[in-house]
Amino acid sequence: MIPAEKLDALLTRVAELEYRMSQNPDPQTYVRLSRDYAELEPLAARITALRKGEEELAGVEAMLADPSADAEMRELAEIEFYALRERVEALAQEVRIGFLPKDVADDRNVILEVRAGTGGDEAALFAGDLFRMYQRYAQLKGWKVEIVSASEGEVGGFKEVIASVTGDQVFARLKFESGVHRVQRVPETESGGRIHTSAATVAVLPQAEDVDVQINDADLRIDTFRASGAGGQHVNTTDSAVRITHMPTGIVVAVQDERSQHKNKAKALQLLRARIFDEERARLANERTEARRLQVGSGDRSERIRTYNFPQGRVTDHRIGLTLYKLPEVISGEALDDVIEPLALDHQATLLAAEGL
């Protein structure tokens, strides 16, 4: 368990914040204090509840150890003991998790990228299925999805689709989706009924703010060109599409979905910031941790993470050996939390072990 001194220090810090907020500080200081208080108070409340529960548990244990207690009282105490012990253990786990280093990106909106991999037309169709899964999941969470750029497949789906997803705790939920997703099914174009294996790659990048990534205009090469694809005559006769190259990193982004060159440039810069921010996060993560097992949520897009087997109705996440026989519910987004939640819990357990908590 976490040392008592560490728990006391947090409770003292919360009490100090409460006192300073009550002294009518200037507005800027009050905002900073209230932000710190909002972050620490829930953990302080759990610590207080844990200590109260431990006191109650100690009282029940003393009653059970009392030889003068009658049989009826001992029976009631024993029932209360097991319920209290379970509650204290749960609170202790919540407190341990509360002391884990917080991923500052968890509260961020994300740039979601889905790309067809091996498998030709079937891979593009699968990429479309994955994107619709995330769209439906976002709808259930009350998030907003806006397509930034899309390249449709020849027979449907997407060769590539990039979208902005905004809402509450978006990166915290979606960061475990980065990687290679594999599908096993009979394609609609397959006349012989043979099962094909195709793949699509998912990348989830936390959206960067101006303060996270400083981009010097002198480091950018901006090219305009005529957009191609759907959109009518205007798309093909105006240089509205924008390609931006960030010279120091070599990152290239291109956006052509909007008719306005100005809007395409704004979207391209948003995407560029997210990719630069993601690269910097990955670099820092590699420096901080040598153990690859800690990086389940780090966004390694070369790792095969999940298989969707349609003939068996099975979804398997290879990182934690999780298998669910509810593929239709998962691929529709309805049961995606049944995959994400165990991943988040496993990640927490790994971090707790690494921190020695």
Side-chain angles (χ1 to χ4, degrees):
M1 187 53 193
I2 296 168
E5 312 86 73
K6 197 168 184 178
L7 303 182
D8 290 338
L10 187 133
L11 292 175
T12 300
R13 173 62 178 155
V14 170
E16 178 191 349
L17 289 169
E18 285 180 332
Y19 174 76
R20 292 181 62 187
M21 287 166 63
S22 70
Q23 299 304 299
N24 298 318
D26 62 83
Q28 187 175 359
T29 301
Y30 185 84
V31 168
R32 178 174 56 80
L33 292 172
S34 60
R35 184 175 60 240
D36 292 345
Y37 179 81
E39 183 177 338
L40 295 177
E41 194 279 331
L43 179 55
R46 289 188 180 92
I47 293 171
T48 301
L50 172 62
R51 288 185 162 175
K52 182 182 178 183
E54 288 173 335
E55 288 178 5
E56 292 175 357
L57 186 61
V60 172
E61 286 177 328
M63 186 180 298
L64 287 171
D66 184 359
S68 64
D70 61 47
E72 186 178 351
M73 287 295 294
R74 288 177 65 85
E75 185 178 347
L76 290 171
E78 192 168 333
I79 294 171
E80 189 177 1
F81 169 78
Y82 289 111
L84 267 174
R85 187 175 67 176
E86 186 176 332
R87 180 165 165 265
V88 165
E89 287 174 355
L91 282 168
Q93 179 70 354
E94 289 179 13
V95 168
R96 283 194 290 268
I97 290 171
F99 273 95
L100 284 176
K102 183 171 168 47
D103 187 342
V104 295
D106 277 352
D107 295 330
R108 299 291 181 93
N109 300 320
V110 308
I111 296 292
L112 172 68
E113 304 179 352
V114 183
R115 294 182 177 85
T118 55
D121 290 340
E122 171 62 9
L125 290 170
F126 178 51
D129 291 338
L130 286 177
F131 184 65
R132 283 187 292 275
M133 174 180 76
Y134 295 126
Q135 280 184 309
R136 176 58 179 153
Y137 182 71
Q139 182 183 15
L140 293 171
K141 293 291 183 184
W143 301 338
K144 179 183 177 183
V145 179
E146 181 183 1
I147 293 179
V148 174
S149 175
S151 174
E152 296 181 357
E154 299 294 330
V155 297
F158 294 101
K159 294 178 183 176
E160 174 187 275
V161 57
I162 301 172
S164 166
V165 186
T166 58
D168 183 44
Q169 292 276 297
V170 181
F171 186 70
R173 303 304 295 175
L174 291 183
K175 63 183 177 182
F176 302 104
E177 294 302 296
S178 288
V180 177
H181 295 239
R182 187 177 66 165
V183 64
Q184 295 172 329
R185 65 184 176 189
V186 178
E188 296 177 8
T189 54
E190 169 60 53
S191 58
R194 292 175 300 176
I195 296 174
H196 286 227
T197 299
S198 304
T201 302
V202 174
V204 179
L205 317 179
Q207 286 194 27
E209 298 172 3
D210 291 344
V211 294
D212 300 317
V213 178
Q214 299 293 331
I215 297 179
N216 190 336
D217 289 344
D219 292 334
L220 302 179
R221 188 178 73 228
I222 301 176
D223 302 306
T224 58
F225 57 98
R226 291 185 181 180
S228 59
Q233 184 179 8
H234 178 90
V235 170
N236 299 311
T237 59
T238 307
D239 289 340
S240 59
V242 174
R243 181 188 299 109
I244 300 179
T245 304
H246 186 244
M247 308 302 286
T249 61
I251 296 175
V252 180
V253 296
V255 176
Q256 64 175 27
D257 274 34
E258 300 284 349
R259 291 189 175 189
S260 161
Q261 185 184 113
H262 177 73
K263 289 182 179 179
N264 281 330
K265 181 181 177 183
K267 285 187 174 183
L269 284 171
Q270 179 190 45
L271 181 54
L272 177 65
R273 268 195 205 90
R275 289 188 181 169
I276 293 173
F277 185 49
D278 183 62
E279 282 201 359
E280 179 64 12
R281 277 173 50 83
R283 183 185 68 78
L284 291 174
N286 289 333
E287 287 180 0
R288 282 195 306 265
T289 187
E290 296 177 4
R292 178 62 186 86
R293 61 191 174 83
L294 288 180
Q295 299 182 37
V296 64
S298 67
D300 184 346
R301 292 177 288 284
S302 65
E303 179 186 9
R304 188 193 71 185
I305 63 167
R306 195 174 300 152
T307 296
Y308 305 75
N309 185 299
F310 276 74
Q312 297 179 15
R314 168 172 57 83
V315 177
T316 299
D317 196 288
H318 305 289
R319 292 165 292 182
I320 57 174
L322 172 71
T323 295
L324 299 173
Y325 287 91
K326 51 196 324 182
L327 187 149
E329 294 88 346
V330 171
I331 203 71
S332 70
E334 306 283 338
L336 187 54
D337 266 334
D338 291 354
V339 183
I340 290 175
E341 201 60 44
L343 284 165
L345 292 173
D346 181 78
H347 187 49
Q348 284 177 348
T350 303
L351 290 173
L352 286 169
E355 294 287 328
L357 298 176

